Amino acid sequence: PAFGYEGRSVGVDGASPRDVPLLAALARVQGASISHYTHPEDEAALVRDFTAQGFATDHWDQFMGNEACLAACRAEVRKMPIPESYRLHRITPDTAPHWFDRLAETALACHVLPPASTVLTAETQRAVCLFLEAPDGQVAACAGAVMRNHRESPYGTASWWGMLAVREADRGRALSLALGARVALHMHETFGADTFYTGVRRGNAVSRHVCARLGVVESGLGCLAVLDPEAFGGAGFT
């Protein structure tokens, strides 16, 4: 219950300075680790401790939604059907391999790192990944969500939500809203998720707009990544 995993790295949520040795060990083993639900007063101390040990850190503002998010998502689905020229798909263990390649191509072009395939297929986590097939057979857009914490965790009914990416040729059609809403509703209806959260950079106006439309708002908490420079060099983390 102390750990969280969304298919990218194992982390410890709600970390305080006493969790520094554990997060540092995870970052050394994996190259990176993360703590969602970090309080500002704890995050400042965490950053100092990790920096002193030679680690780099990264930060996102944590946006969260609950009943207001679900209400907004239901309204969005009612008024915004999937455009007729697109086909909606859900990743499952039976999904053909070429769709994973096309999904990764679209996501990575938007600087979004897809989780591990067994998470995308919901084989190892309570999760969902939806994507839209464009008329040309490529992946136009994708979205995903993962309940990354153990059921007995304080965050056991919360779902990490996001993985929003839209191919440049398909932008301007509100596809992120359409998929983001459906992903949240799937997690609620299938797994009982009642809280949704994501990390958003302060300068990312597009993501903030999508979150606001779907009832996911600033929480005052942060998402803190711990990076081993030997693994990441000068690169960031998504």
Side-chain angles (χ1 to χ4, degrees):
F3 300 98
Y5 176 63
E6 76 295 326
R8 291 171 174 164
S9 66
V10 177
V12 178
D13 290 331
S16 67
R18 69 175 179 272
D19 297 307
V20 166
L22 182 52
L23 277 167
L26 288 168
R28 289 190 184 98
V29 169
Q30 303 175 118
S33 189
I34 194 163
S35 179
H36 298 274
Y37 297 93
T38 57
H39 290 269
E41 60 273 18
D42 287 328
E43 186 167 342
L46 289 166
V47 169
R48 286 195 301 270
D49 287 347
F50 288 123
T51 301
Q53 294 187 46
F55 290 100
T57 61
D58 206 348
H59 168 91
W60 299 262
D61 296 330
Q62 184 162 330
F63 280 50
M64 299 178 67
N66 38 50
E67 280 299 325
C69 168
L70 291 169
C73 289
R74 293 186 187 105
E76 195 67 39
V77 169
R78 284 195 299 269
K79 72 180 182 182
M80 185 77 66
I82 298 295
E84 290 185 5
S85 55
Y86 294 84
R87 293 183 61 195
L88 179 65
H89 298 272
R90 178 168 61 89
I91 293 283
T92 73
D94 298 322
T95 297
H98 71 270
W99 286 119
F100 289 89
D101 295 334
R102 294 175 188 179
L103 174 75
E105 182 179 353
T106 295
L108 292 171
C110 298
H111 308 290
V112 172
L113 178 65
S117 59
T118 54
V119 174
L120 292 175
T121 58
E123 291 175 87
T124 60
Q125 305 288 109
R126 294 168 289 168
V128 67
C129 178
L130 301 180
F131 70 89
L132 290 177
E133 178 186 354
D136 63 1
Q138 299 301 310
V139 170
C142 61
V146 184
M147 295 179 80
R148 56 189 300 282
N149 300 99
H150 192 281
R151 287 174 172 82
E152 295 179 7
S153 159
Y155 316 109
T157 60
S159 175
W160 171 82
W161 166 88
M163 215 184 89
L164 301 173
V166 180
R167 192 175 61 160
E168 186 172 1
D170 300 281
R171 291 173 187 167
R173 297 178 172 87
L175 301 183
S176 282
L177 288 169
L179 288 185
R182 285 165 173 80
V183 159
L185 293 175
H186 178 94
M187 295 301 290
H188 176 67
E189 294 162 3
T190 306
F191 302 114
D194 57 17
T195 303
F196 303 89
Y197 65 94
T198 192
V200 183
R201 294 199 187 275
R202 289 185 183 152
N204 190 339
V206 173
S207 290
R208 287 171 180 259
H209 172 73
V210 172
C211 287
R213 284 280 299 272
L214 296 180
V216 182
V217 299
E218 282 197 74
S219 67
L221 301 172
C223 307
L224 176 68
V226 185
L227 311 173
D228 182 349
E230 291 189 11
F232 277 83
F237 183 72
T238 182

